[in-house]
Amino acid sequence: MRTSQWLVAALLALTPALSAQQPLTARDVVQRIQQNIGVPWTEPTVDTFKDGDPATPVTGIAVTMMATFDVLQRAAARGANLVITHEPTFYDHFDKLDVLEAEHDSVTLAKRAFIREHRMVVVRMHDHWHRRRPEPMATDLARVLGWEGYRAGSEFLYRLPETTLGELAATIRRRLPAPTLRVVGDSGLLVTKIGLSPGAAGFDRHRQLLQQDDVQVLVIGEAREWETVEYVADAVTAGRRKALIILGHVRSEQDGMEEFARWLGGLVKEVPVTFVPTVDPFWAPR
């Protein structure tokens, strides 16, 4: 064998070993997600890198509902430098930074400084996780609520044993828990058919669920008070048997992102994948 042929053969033989030694980067993790998410990856999307260098070698992955400063600190303490968040990091659906930077916003500056100091990377995973069927945010919330056996045609509709609105709300608060849960409607209303809409799906989606005659209660993450909340209040005044339970956005989708962490752990074995829950920021005075 000629020397040149021997060198080529030797390099080819070494390629797998060299590849195996290459560190897993944040970009590698996202590509692995894109290839396995189970729905077509489409653009435009908010599922993009939000801060940090995608070429950064990953030491650990923290999955969370919302990449708050507190979550970033707890992720760094666990040795995780790739944070995968469901919701925005910089206070805007598209994580726009131009206005905040022009204002020299001190909160944004502190958060970004921490990300840089700890060589962290933040990426969002929202649109494509929601597009999976059955929809994971609804199915995992229903599982935690103990509603799995009561599905009524889809993961967004449930027919429960008859109870009062007050009893239903108290049970939900205990099971999640959701200490600042809010309710619109008569606490004594007898209910059985529930519409479930985690997160902030918007008034169109909320209204469509409530317009179903047999749906008495809509359970949501959050809504504008002059849209869904006012609509339900008006429905009650008009004599309709309708009610609304507001869990809070974080609490309504937390379990769906914990499931994402379990799912991702099956794809990424090179580094630890952990779930870092987002603290619900609301509290109620006693």
Side-chain angles (χ1 to χ4, degrees):
M1 181 182 295
R2 292 187 302 180
T3 301
S4 59
Q5 292 175 320
W6 179 86
L7 285 172
V8 170
L11 286 171
L12 288 173
L14 284 171
T15 297
L18 291 171
S19 298
Q21 294 171 6
Q22 294 298 314
L24 181 74
T25 68
R27 182 180 288 108
D28 294 332
V29 173
V30 171
Q31 289 175 345
R32 203 171 295 181
I33 292 170
Q34 292 173 339
Q35 293 162 2
N36 292 276
I37 194 73
V39 296
W41 195 268
T42 57
E43 302 285 351
T45 179
V46 296
D47 295 346
T48 59
F49 288 97
K50 303 305 177 185
D51 209 345
D53 183 356
T56 301
V58 176
T59 58
I61 301 172
V63 175
T64 191
M65 164 59 189
M66 190 178 293
T68 62
F69 205 156
D70 170 67
V71 164
L72 295 176
Q73 290 175 333
R74 285 185 285 132
R78 297 184 185 191
N81 68 337
L82 173 58
V83 176
I84 299 178
T85 178
H86 185 65
E87 294 300 354
T89 304
F90 297 111
Y91 327 114
D92 172 84
H93 183 58
F94 300 101
D95 285 285
K96 295 177 182 176
L97 282 165
D98 51 347
V99 173
L100 293 167
E101 289 179 335
E103 294 172 345
H104 304 288
D105 179 72
S106 61
V107 175
T108 305
L109 288 171
K111 194 171 189 178
R112 297 200 75 192
F114 183 88
I115 291 170
R116 289 192 296 272
E117 178 186 348
H118 292 82
R119 297 196 67 225
M120 302 181 84
V121 182
V122 181
V123 66
R124 191 170 177 195
M125 195 53 51
H126 178 273
D127 297 349
H128 295 85
W129 189 241
H130 270 304
R131 289 172 189 158
R132 285 168 62 94
R133 291 294 178 269
E135 204 276 343
M137 295 305 194
T139 55
D140 283 285
L141 177 57
R143 173 181 53 79
V144 171
L145 292 174
W147 295 358
E148 285 181 301
Y150 299 104
R151 188 182 294 187
S154 83
E155 64 268 39
F156 305 106
L157 293 169
Y158 296 84
R159 189 175 298 280
L160 307 180
E162 189 175 70
T163 186
T164 66
L165 175 63
E167 290 167 346
L168 176 66
T171 300
I172 291 174
R173 183 169 59 185
R174 287 193 302 270
R175 288 178 177 172
L176 285 181
T180 58
L181 174 151
R182 295 189 295 169
V183 185
V184 178
D186 179 359
S187 64
L189 177 69
L190 292 176
V191 300
T192 180
K193 188 70 175 291
I194 314 296
L196 187 61
S197 184
F203 182 48
D204 288 349
R205 176 61 178 160
H206 294 165
R207 185 179 68 252
Q208 289 159 9
L209 285 167
L210 284 163
Q211 284 171 343
Q212 299 185 42
D213 289 337
D214 58 346
V215 170
Q216 295 111 16
V217 186
L218 177 64
V219 178
I220 66 172
E222 66 167 300
R224 291 187 174 118
E225 294 188 13
W226 45 270
E227 292 180 341
T228 303
V229 176
E230 182 179 6
Y231 181 85
V232 175
D234 284 351
V236 173
T237 302
R240 303 291 307 280
R241 296 179 65 248
K242 300 293 180 181
L244 176 68
I245 296 178
I246 304 173
L247 308 177
H249 198 132
V250 168
R251 185 56 270 181
S252 75
E253 294 191 315
Q254 188 100 275
D255 301 294
M257 285 310 287
E258 187 170 8
E259 174 58 26
F260 179 88
R262 287 191 288 267
W263 175 82
L264 184 61
L267 295 178
V268 178
K269 301 296 186 182
E270 297 92 330
V271 297
V273 178
T274 59
F275 177 67
V276 180
T278 304
V279 175
D280 190 332
F282 298 106
W283 58 275
R286 300 296 181 186

